[in-house]
Amino acid sequence: MRAYFHGIVCFVSLIVCSTNALLGQELLWKAAAAKAVITPEVKLWMAGYAARKGPAEGKLQDLFAKTLILEDAQGVRFVWVTMDLIGVPKSLRLEVERRAEEEFDLPPSHLLMNASHTHCGPMIRTYQPAGENRPEMIAYSSIPAEQHEQRIKETREYRQFLADQMLALIGRAIKDLRPARLLQSQAKCGFAMNRRLPRGSSFINSPNPSGPVDHSVPVLQVLGADDQKLAVLFSYACHNTTLGVMQFNGDYAGYAQQYLEEDHPGMIALFALGCGGDQNPYPRRLIPYVERHGRALATAVEAALIADPQAVVGSIRAKLDYATLDYGRLPTKEELLRKSQSSDKYDSRHAEFLLEDLKHVGKLPTSYPCPVQVVSLGDDLTMIAIGGEVVIDYAVRLKREVERKNLWVLGYSNDVFAYTPSRRVVLEGGYEGATSMRFPRENLHPAPWAPTIEQRIIGKVFELLKNQ
Ligand SMILES: [Zn+2]
C-alpha cells in the first residue's frame, strides 16, 4: 500500500515537474531590450549634492536609458524604461507616457519608468513655481544667479533629448520583439545599510546596522531561441550614493550593469531601484568602493541566474493610479514670515518661495498625487512600483502582507517628487521624514507629509491588486 501510494506521489510529481519544465522551455512570450547612451555632451551641472560648485568634468563611465518590452500571447505589451539618472521628473514621465500612447498605442498603466537615483548624473529638473505665467527657476543654491538662464535652457534641452531617446528606444525594441521565455529567481547582496541613526531626539545620516534593510536581489531573465540571454532585469534597495565625484557615472548600479553586460556579450542588463530611500551603500566615497559594490551586485545577479530559476508564464495585467498624499499641518503666513528670517538658508528660502506661492495662488496645496502601479506576469511574478524616494518599510510590509509569488517592490518610479516615508519615519522626523521636504524639486511641498501617507499608499496597492 505504501509502495503504491509512493508510486502515485512520484507519478503526480513527475507530471507537475514535466509540465513546469515544458512551460519553462516554450517560448510563450515575445520580448526585446534596447539601450542608448544618455551621457550629456555638454558639461551639465550634476544632481544630488548641493555642495558641488561647478559643472561635470568628464565621465568615469557612460550613463544609459534602457528599455525592456514584453508581449504576452494575447499581444498585450508592458514596457520598462530604466535610466541612470537622479529621478523621473513628472514632466518627463508625462511626455513619454503621452507620446508612447500616441505612437505605440501603449496605455500609461503599461509603462513603468524607474530611475537609479545616481548622484553622479546630470541635473534634469527645473523648479516650476505654482500659479499662472510664473517663470521656471533653478533651485540649486550653489549655481550662481547669473548662470540660471543658461542652466534652465540646457536642462530643458537635455530633458527633451531624454524623452526623444526613450521614445526611440521603445520604437526600436517593438520592432525587435522576438519569441522568448522568462525565468524569475533571486539572491542577496549585503552592502546596503540603513542610514537613519538615532541621535538624541532626532536622526542623523550615518550607518545604522540595527535599522531595517531588504537585501534581496530579484532577477528576471529573458531568454531567446537556443537560450540566448537577451536581457536581465534586476533590482536592489539602496541609494546610488557611493560617490560624489565630478565625473558622470551610474554609481554601483551603473557598474553592476556594465559588468553583467561585459560578462554576457549581447545581453542588456537593466537595473530598477527598490525602496532604498533610507538605505546607503557602505563604505562610500572612494572609486574602488563603487567598483566593489557594482561587482558584488553583479555577482548576486549571477548567483540568482543559477539559483533555482522558475518559469514565468501567463498574461500581463497592469494598473496605474494615484494615491492622494496629504501634507501635515500647513504653515500660516505669519509663521512663513518669521521663518523667512531664519539663519538656516534652506528654511528661509523655503519660506520665501511659499510666500511667493501664497501671493500668486492665494493658498498652499494640501496634497500631492503619488503614482502607484501594479503589474502581474501570470501568477508567477508581481511588481509594485511606487513614486518618490520610497523607504524600506514599504518593501518589508508589502512582502509580509501581499500574498503573491515573487513580489518585487520598486520605489523611484514614474514620478520622483519627494521622499516617500512610512508612518514610522514621518513620526520620527529627520531628513527622509521631514527636513528634505524643504527642497524644491519640480514643485515645492509646503510641509512634511501627514502620517496617513503609508495607509494611503498601501490602500491603493491593495485596491489595484484586487481582481488582478
Ligand atoms: Zn535620495
Side-chain angles (χ1 to χ4, degrees), residues 29 68 70-72 76-78 80 182 184 220 233 311-318 374-383 404-406 408 468:
W29 300 89
L68 169 65
L70 292 184
E71 185 181 295
D72 68 14
V76 176
R77 288 175 185 156
F78 193 87
W80 286 265
L182 304 180
Q184 142 82 37
L220 178 66
L233 173 66
V312 176
V313 295
S315 49
I316 293 169
R317 302 179 307 276
V374 169
V375 53
S376 304
L377 305 180
D379 295 328
D380 294 325
L381 193 159
T382 298
M383 215 175 270
R404 292 285 179 110
K405 223 164 102 187
N406 299 320
W408 295 39
Q468 175 170 300

Side-chain angles (χ1 to χ4, degrees), residues 28 81 199 233 265 296 413 426 457:
L28 298 168
V81 176
R199 266 291 175 277
L233 173 66
S413 297
V426 169
I457 291 173

Side-chain angles (χ1 to χ4, degrees), residues 117 119 195 239 389 412 419:
H117 198 46
H119 281 45
R195 67 179 200 185
H239 257 66
E389 299 200 36
Y412 298 81
Y419 275 86

